[in-house]
Amino acid sequence: CACAISKEYALEAYKRVLVICGPGHNGGDGFVAARHLAIFGYRPTLYYPKKSRNEEDVKMMDMLLKQAIAFGVQTIDALPSAEELAASYDLVVDAILGFSAHGALRAPYDRSEERRVG
């Protein structure tokens, strides 16, 4: 994912990247992508609002989060408003849900629809 971003989105124009991570393996992929984006020179920020209920996944995600932070990736505790997203980030990466997700969105992700930026 980080390689695809670096190929399609020039560092000079898309340096500030928000990576929104879900509680499952797709979220873990987001942590890895953020870490690699930092290595490539981008300034990624992670938003990780909900931990997994699976104890094994929690351990893995905590490890991946610590690795990302060790590489200078910042974290935020709340999803910015649409205006703040537009002003603070050049690119948003969706690492919330994987391909097997189904059903209606549940909290805290159900609120993100109202914050969509054109």
Side-chain angles (χ1 to χ4, degrees):
C1 180
C3 288
I5 288 171
S6 69
K7 182 178 177 182
E8 296 297 322
Y9 297 95
L11 177 62
E12 299 77 25
Y14 297 94
K15 190 169 197 128
R16 305 168 305 165
V17 182
L18 176 62
V19 183
I20 304 174
C21 297
H25 290 218
N26 204 49
D29 292 343
F31 290 144
V32 173
R35 184 177 74 226
H36 283 89
L37 287 169
I39 292 167
F40 297 163
Y42 291 83
R43 286 192 343 235
T45 300
L46 288 169
Y47 174 52
Y48 178 46
K50 181 179 178 183
K51 288 190 175 189
S52 174
R53 288 184 246 156
N54 179 310
E55 196 173 315
E56 192 173 301
D57 284 348
V58 170
K59 289 178 185 177
M60 178 189 65
M61 298 293 268
D62 286 348
M63 179 191 65
L64 292 173
L65 179 58
K66 286 177 187 176
Q67 288 174 354
I69 291 170
F71 278 86
V73 177
Q74 301 296 310
T75 62
I76 57 174
D77 295 324
L79 184 64
S81 68
E83 295 79 20
E84 292 170 323
L85 281 171
S88 300
Y89 301 100
D90 305 310
L91 189 63
V92 176
V93 176
D94 173 355
I96 301 169
L97 302 171
F99 63 88
S100 63
H102 60 280
L105 290 176
R106 295 182 302 269
Y109 306 107
D110 56 348
R111 296 185 339 262
S112 61
E113 185 67 27
E114 66 195 41
R115 303 220 176 149
R116 184 178 291 170
V117 178

